[in-house]
Every structure is written in structure tokens, then in C-alpha cells.
Amino acid sequence: MTNSNSIQDVLFFPQMRPEKKAAMDDNAAFAKIGVPEEWMKGLRKLGIVSIKQLKEQKSGKLHNDLCGLNKKEGYGLVNPTIEAVKSWVE
């Protein structure tokens, strides 16, 4: 079913393979598209580490997630406008 020669290939060894790491863009790359520096911590906390991942987000959901994270984590930042978040994503 898995086209493997041995049961060990199926059960144990796949868990030992190194994970593929996503390319991580630096803060300057995000700043270039208009993301303020203070929101980088929130984006990273949401698992968005590259411009490609940011562009795949829906602006409304990202806006809600950032505003919720700001409140939950107590960042004390002024929430971004939905228009600002749309400009980051598009």
C-alpha cells in the first residue's frame, strides 16, 4: 500500500526525517510592502514568516486575528485598519 520494502520505512523512519523549513523573510522585506515594525511580532506569532504566506491570507481574517492577538497578548498597539491590512495582502 505504501510501496515500501520494509515496515520500518513506514512506521519509524518517516518521523526521523528533518522537517522542511519555510523560507523566512526578514523584517525589512515586510516593511518594504508597508507592514509596520510593531506588527511583526504578531505576524510571527500567527505563523506568518514570509511575504508569500502573508499574500495567501484573507485580509478580513488576518485583521481579526491581529486585533484579537493584540488584545489577548496585551501588546497595547493601535489596531491596524482593514484597509491597511488589505494593502499588505494585495
Side-chain angles (χ1 to χ4, degrees):
M1 189 155 88
T2 63
N3 201 20
S4 298
N5 293 332
S6 142
I7 192 70
Q8 290 177 333
D9 293 336
V10 178
L11 295 178
F12 186 71
F13 292 106
Q15 296 159 351
M16 294 184 64
R17 291 186 195 139
E19 293 180 14
K20 294 181 182 178
K21 293 184 180 178
M24 187 170 173
D25 291 328
D26 61 354
N27 292 358
F30 283 91
K32 195 180 286 187
I33 63 167
V35 178
E37 181 75 28
E38 62 264 14
W39 284 106
M40 288 308 306
K41 183 177 180 182
L43 288 174
R44 302 272 190 228
K45 182 105 177 170
L46 292 173
I48 301 170
V49 297
S50 70
I51 301 297
K52 181 182 178 199
Q53 287 177 323
L54 180 65
K55 298 293 184 180
E56 292 171 349
Q57 302 296 312
K58 295 194 184 303
S59 57
K61 181 178 180 337
L62 181 59
H63 178 261
N64 287 338
D65 289 347
L66 286 172
C67 293
L69 191 64
N70 185 25
K71 183 176 180 180
K72 179 182 175 188
E73 298 291 325
Y75 292 153
L77 302 173
V78 175
N79 288 330
T81 63
I82 187 70
E83 292 80 20
V85 175
K86 279 182 185 177
S87 72
W88 305 345
V89 174
E90 296 172 353

